[in-house]
Amino acid sequence: MYRSHNCGELRETHIDENVTLSGWVHKTRDKGFVIWVDIRDRYGITQLVFDEDRSSSELLDRARNLGREFVIQVKGSVIERASKNPNIPTGNIEVLVSELIVLNESKTPPFTIENETDGGEDLRMKYRYLDIRRNPVKNNLIFRSKVAMEVRKFLSDQEFIEVETPYLIKSTPEGARDFVVPSRMNEGQFYALPQSPQTFKQLLMVGGMDKYFQIVKCFRDEDLRADRQPEFTQIDCEMAFVEQEDILDVFEGLTKHLLKEIKGVEIDKFPRITFDEAMAKYGNDKPDIRFGMEFGELNDVAQHKDFNVFNSAELVVGIAIPGGNSFTRKEIDKLTDWVKRPQVGALGMVYCRCNEDGSFKSSVDKFYDQDDLAKWAEATGAKPGDLICVLSGDKNKVRAQLSALRMEMAERLGLRNPDEFAPLWVVDFPLLELDEETGHYHAMHHPFTSPKPGQLELLDTDPGAVRANAYDLVLNGNEIGGGSIRIHDKETQSIMFKHLGFTPEEAKAQFGFLMDAFQYGAPPHGGIAFGLDRLVSILGGQETIRDFIAFPKNNSGRDVMIDAPAPIDDEQLKELNLRIDIKA
Amino acid sequence: MYRSHNCGELRETHIDENVTLSGWVHKTRDKGFVIWVDIRDRYGITQLVFDEDRSSSELLDRARNLGREFVIQVKGSVIERASKNPNIPTGNIEVLVSELIVLNESKTPPFTIENETDGGEDLRMKYRYLDIRRNPVKNNLIFRSKVAMEVRKFLSDQEFIEVETPYLIKSTPEGARDFVVPSRMNEGQFYALPQSPQTFKQLLMVGGMDKYFQIVKCFRDEDLRADRQPEFTQIDCEMAFVEQEDILDVFEGLTKHLLKEIKGVEIDKFPRITFDEAMAKYGNDKPDIRFGMEFGELNDVAQHKDFNVFNSAELVVGIAIPGGNSFTRKEIDKLTDWVKRPQVGALGMVYCRCNEDGSFKSSVDKFYDQDDLAKWAEATGAKPGDLICVLSGDKNKVRAQLSALRMEMAERLGLRNPDEFAPLWVVDFPLLELDEETGHYHAMHHPFTSPKPGQLELLDTDPGAVRANAYDLVLNGNEIGGGSIRIHDKETQSIMFKHLGFTPEEAKAQFGFLMDAFQYGAPPHGGIAFGLDRLVSILGGQETIRDFIAFPKNNSGRDVMIDAPAPIDDEQLKELNLRIDIKA
């Protein structure tokens, strides 16, 4: 037996007990006549003591030679500490060691195993197994495990069945790029790794499985933006005999359960807004509503004067930055530069100071009088002491620009409190989205999403106006889940495929099995999928999903620890009937 | 709202309530003046009634036209049934329908949705979504979900952390064949899908994670034997600071928990036998101990006479078939033919009848007298009325042959009761296994398994004799789990790789990251992995794992429902820098 207790367990109640501990040498302090060693494991740190009076000189010598991260086992008795450490749970005791066994030595680790380490990202990833010994990473992984378990408990209690769907499936050109897997037994053919279990969960509904979930890895071979992983985890859910309301109810319940169990936060009914409202109020379909700064549309109160910039704009829209009147002119100029950066892309910014005395001072005073500006203040909800920032131009672009400014200011003003949780549902998404490059419409959610009742006809005349039974769950400015009520009849699905540019043959080749299934009594159904990586990082109050993944890949899709991907044997290629064909 | 209750829920207490049900038309009985429709969902079947007295003729007509597997929604009131059906939980009531909505029609399904269907395996797999509507398949999937949940609960309660390890890893030529995934972003390079998370879980131990588990898909590109799947699910577990005893304890606890929670079976301490003992007693390293028929070795009592077949044999060994004396001569001859089939491969069989009067009658009476045969009976535990069957020859071969006979006889005699559960641990496996074809030794478990203390030296002189800290959990003649205490120092691991025929360069290229990790304070650790597919099928009292997988593949690795694998676009191949190169 390697240990009687773990390193986070001993308290004053254990004093005088003989114990055995195992763990890593975290730190050694050598005062000559006495040596303290901190032994560490997953559960905590316990102080070991060796001294001239009570330890043999041989034992003292061996303690002296322990290096950082050596793995040791000690036997000894628990004693009261002379100088207690109130900062750690074991701080009232120490273990007077009678026996010391070195289980394994360690080279000096390439970075310190501390909460704040001296190791950079690259080094930490190469030695991820050492990084995981650090509390922040270790705790994130434990936290993730706990969240997943709570999800499973909640859904199982509601009679959801976790069904494993296959990983070796079929490639579909639609959507993102698939990872493919050559089949040795079926020459020249390939499996694909799932981007999601979408079609399988719908087939489970056709199969009567009724309430399905799965916590499952999904794969996308996309050029990786920061904080995207080629493999990621979804909480994938589907229900039959449901309307949108039923789904929102159940998964609002799940989210409340997580917030309560994991964070101790109780939230009443989640607000709901439509996609159109979200775009108008926040310029964003995943608004962060922990703070205000809602958009005020100013067309009516800013297009009646001779200011051509506004008059020629599709939309004039502003936000009130709380306390922003305290910004210096220089600071405001910098803000203007910020919105003009190519990443944001505004052409300029108009501002209006709201003075404490109720008067206004704007950058366009020669066009607008105090009455005009008072109306701006009213529309943006600005109070004395605030600064109104106004952008104008093409509606979609200017909303995105102002949304960027809103988020940036919230960040700067410390309004994005990671311990505060503000979920909301965004509903009534458009069914289709125009690809500006190709001029074609494609499915905003996916091709299985049903249009709102009675809107199917609009597909021919005004496809962009068709609204879908689609919804997102947004938490603190992040989409943590999204789903829809699906199409469940072959005819509607055929119409959808046609509008998405599939020939009947293409639709049959790729989704024939689903269309067939719809002919054998498919029930009304719908579902939702949560991004687990994102969900745990937000619940954990952090921004980077990589910190919540045990062995993440870097932005080139490489695992730098195991050095993958890597070349394979010619023999393997030959068995797969493949040749590598790299163009110069 | 599509339903107020499900189709398995209504009882006499609901009589007079107005309810809404949704489900599939299971069966219709039309007596002209009254029509009964069985509506079915995941939860059960409820009888609907339409009749001339209480239903409009229009409603009666519509009920009459319902086809099998139509999806319907009905509103109505719960009434007491005139003729009750005690075989189903809802059998005391029926629903008098006032409103009928057809949610979706159905073509006639290609097989009946009944417990005993008329659909063959191929048809059922092609329309798996219909097969899943059948109780046996549906219940298996629900059962699987429950087993997985109980595993997670038990391990989480013991502070195990479920950590997701990556699916896109690195190919290692060692072991079974990998599925590979071409990387688009890293030209000419490949990921591999994991055959198990072995190295990652060991790195988690180096990372201090201490108690890890994961229910995880694994992949092997092997030619598929019956009942093997290219993707399969493991309950993968690892612990640090443990000896073999600790692991057996925890996972005996898990197995007991499952038997109790899932099957209501309480089992005390699991028996343990060594690999050598299992081979000697059962000719098999995964013995079914639900019944006796243990091997009796007969060399001492059968090689002292002039019977050359036995005298020249390495091993003479027999079993006593309970009640086998009742077999006719013809039946025994057939049994002899059975063991001589190429699949078993014995050269012949000697038998000895144990008469009720205590006398013996053997097929080799001219060589052996009653005293000799009495000793055979004693060695095999034969009682009056039994039949002793004796095989002889090369030790390993004859044990395998007699094991086949033992299992066959148990099957025929009905001794393999699927409702009885007899787990046992087989321990002290050989470290290495001789590949008869190549003459090389390879790792019996895997190259990370540690030899028993003090046996490392034997590797040079008698590699086959080295025993490992390796163990299997066997249930009813199936290996349901296997594991080992791992090597945790670089030097021992290097010696192992050398003996397995790796050059230092090969070892470094493939497992360098693990060897590196061992230099930074790797703790003693070990683990186990359970095959979930097999485990649930045995707990479910069935033999075929395919029946417990939602969407299994056939023996050519194909998913016949979605028709995968399939060719991919030239464009996709080009992006991956691949060309298909099929030899004629």
Side-chain angles (χ1 to χ4, degrees), chain B residues 497-517:
Chain B
F497 281 137
K498 196 187 80 188
H499 278 279
L500 294 171
F502 286 78
T503 65
E505 293 69 35
E506 285 167 346
K508 191 174 156 50
Q510 284 171 43
F511 299 108
F513 58 96
L514 188 66
M515 313 271 276
D516 282 351

Side-chain angles (χ1 to χ4, degrees), chain B residues 367-416:
Chain B
F367 298 105
Y368 300 97
D369 59 27
Q370 292 287 313
D371 281 353
D372 292 329
L373 299 175
K375 285 174 186 156
W376 294 14
E378 193 187 5
T380 58
K383 288 182 210 45
D386 291 355
L387 179 76
I388 305 171
C389 295
V390 182
L391 302 181
S392 65
D394 169 75
K395 188 169 73 178
N396 291 337
K397 283 186 188 155
V398 78
R399 280 176 171 170
Q401 292 156 6
L402 193 61
S403 170
L405 178 62
R406 177 176 177 269
M407 295 301 276
E408 175 69 14
M409 292 316 300
E411 196 67 53
R412 291 192 197 175
L413 297 171
L415 302 175
R416 306 195 68 196

